[in-house]
């Protein structure tokens, strides 16, 4: 077992309490004890997503990818028009998932390192009646942040019937995110990102309108990802009542419950602000002190849970950093795959200054260049 | 946190080492360390399934149910004929899953508590050219065991092109199971059953023939469950090489690796024999000493990883047993839902005599009747 500090953009370092909640004995998935834990976790998902009291949170054994299947197989039907805003590898993969389930996808691809211009989005929304728009809040491949609020406003103005779907995998818990206020219909994330839990859970939230679309769908396009099956289960669990469709990942849900409590104890706004502070610090150090160039083209489109920076010889930097006990990641955007590194700064590594994870990371990168 | 002994038919009591492997710090899913663990787990899946060196094991974040989606969305196409042998709730749910993905399902339903007669299966196989047959080795709702070998032989004789798919959720690791020898094409289980790991993983095995069917499929019917996406990933991980489609549940895979080693240290044949011994013991005690009647109609169709027995007032028995610190389950077969109890005896509870889990369970049931 390694003592390395894991600073990739997920999985992230987990807290001691989260780790303890994971390594616990078996409990029945239909026990009152587990139903109470699951209820607490689901209620706190609402708070972290800022989702209010309507709609329905959904937590399934799976991964972030499963969240795409949930959207693609429940919220649109084959032939439905979907507008995908692409800021990298993960936006493109979401588009692929939508196509597998039969959606008719139009994609607007941002210039590398930038977000899709609002004008282009407004233009598309004016010309075609889309059933759904998908926005990757932060594309983990480029560390590009897309400002959600103006896009949501444009959709409400130009095409209010269009469902707003947000991939919040590398954003929810570390970026300003307002599910209810911005009128988002479906947002998804994964346990191993800013939620601070090991991988293995798909965590998502539906608006009332999205619940209705899923419930009234005349046929199912998936089984394990079917909201017709899962919605009554989630409604029951949230009320503390056990229900069964497929067995939930009990220990991971325990860990999620503990992690969400930790996040809410800090306060979601304070936590997001702390991620920004940490992000600003490491980005300034890398660019000003080491002269590195970020993949994201300006501050406005720079994510706060990870940093993507061009370096000479990334494999050498990554292995050099590893010798200092720090694990960072390489690139995965096909155009620049071998030209940049990615550093994750989510959860305790971003929030607990006493750990000095980012300082150690910076020193290790500096030495390795 | 409870100290109760969990004797439902999954999740089951996990060993101390499995629990420790779960509660571990984060490790990168693309690290050499994790790839080595995943490789070991996949190789040992082959051994526990008795699958030999061909085909491909697949371990995904999910549940047993996801294994149905894998079969239904990769191994048959819409309109393909599937013969489902039903011995209870879970066989029927598998049929539902197949229909969601467009299969044309014929179902032969066994008399309650019995397996489907071989003659009826031979008859169906003679009349229709099926693309797939599904057999629920043990239906967890009824504790009915279906003898696989004669059915596999009948398929090879009468309809050799038919893919043989086995739901081994409550059997693999505790029943005699020969993936390679019997010519099975796809078998699935879940981590929280006889594999002795907490819930959160779908664990399955494909034959070479099934791999080919999945690879040559002209279109995809699912994304998260798509074998076209996952097969290259699993091939790589088994070779110790990290690969990415969706993030695996790292800590659960650690736990799976530890549990499979424990199973193979005992020896899979010895372990299966021990489950039979434990099962025979509890069934004899319940029927002979307490006069209870089993749901399964005779020894030949009685599972060895759980026992389903009729009792007066099952809720009273379950809550009585709970007062002795033992958790057992109620019924879920709709015809007899409120008339029977289910006792799980898989993993350490069946194999580690020093725990005396089954003795304690029997005494608790006796007192509660």
């Amino acid at each position: 077992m390694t003592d390395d500090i894991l600073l990739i953009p997920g999985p992230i370092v987990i807290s001691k309490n989260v780790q303890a909640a994971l390594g616990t004995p078996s409990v029945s998935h239909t026990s009152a004890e587990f139903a109470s834990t699951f209820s607490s976790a689901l209620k706190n998902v609402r708070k972290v997503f800022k989702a209010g009291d309507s709609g329905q949170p959904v937590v399934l054994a799976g991964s972030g990818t499963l969240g795409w299947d949930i959207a693609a197989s429940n919220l649109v039907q084959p032939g439905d028009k979907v507008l995908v805003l692409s800021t990298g590898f993960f936006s493109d993969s979401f588009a692929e998932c939508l196509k597998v389930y039969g959606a008719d996808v139009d994609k607007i691809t941002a210039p590398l390192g930038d977000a899709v211009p609002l004008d282009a989005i407004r233009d598309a929304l004016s010309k075609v009646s889309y059933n759904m728009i998908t926005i990757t809040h932060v594309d983990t491949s480029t560390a590009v942040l897309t400002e959600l609020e103006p896009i949501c406003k444009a959709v409400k103005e130009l095409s209010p019937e269009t469902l707003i779907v947000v991939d919040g995998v590398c954003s929810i818990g570390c970026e300003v995110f307002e599910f209810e206020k911005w009128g988002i219909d479906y947002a998804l994330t994964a346990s191993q990102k800013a939620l601070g839990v090991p991988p293995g859970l798909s965590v998502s939230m539906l608006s009332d309108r999205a619940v209705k679309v899923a419930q009234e769908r005349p046929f199912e396009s998936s089984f394990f990802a079917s909201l017709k099956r899962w919605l009554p289960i989630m409604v029951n669990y949230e009320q503390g009542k056990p229900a069964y469709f497929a067995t939930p990942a009990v220990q991971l849900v325990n860990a999620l419950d503990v992690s969400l409590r930790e996040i809410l104890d800090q306060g979601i706004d304070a936590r997001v602000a702390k991620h920004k502070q940490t992000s600003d610090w490491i980005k300034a150090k890398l660019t000003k002190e080491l002269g590195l160039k970020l993949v994201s083209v300006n501050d406005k489109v720079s994510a706060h849970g990870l940093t993507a920076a061009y370096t000479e010889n990334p494999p050498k930097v990554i292995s050099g950093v590893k010798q200092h006990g720090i694990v960072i990641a390489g690139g995965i955007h096909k155009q620049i795959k071998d030209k940049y590194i990615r550093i994750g700064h989510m959860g305790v590594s971003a929030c607990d200054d006493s750990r000095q994870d980012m300082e150690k990371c910076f020193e290790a990168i500096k030495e390795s260049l």
Side-chain angles (χ1 to χ4, degrees), chain A residues 4 7 17 30 38 41 159 205 216 232 264 283-284 356-357:
Chain A
D4 288 347
L7 296 178
N17 289 337
T30 60
F38 207 167
S159 182
M205 181 72 213
E216 291 176 359
L264 294 167
K283 284 177 173 65
Q356 298 195 291
D357 285 353

Side-chain angles (χ1 to χ4, degrees), chain A residues 18 36-41 44-45 48 195 253-268 271:
Chain A
V18 169
S36 162
T37 302
F38 207 167
S39 171
S40 155
N44 285 337
V45 164
V48 169
L195 299 186
V253 173
N254 287 345
L256 176 67
D257 182 44
V258 168
S259 194
L260 293 175
R261 284 169 196 261
E262 287 180 350
I263 291 169
L264 294 167
D265 279 349
Q266 185 177 353
I268 182 67
R271 194 165 180 97

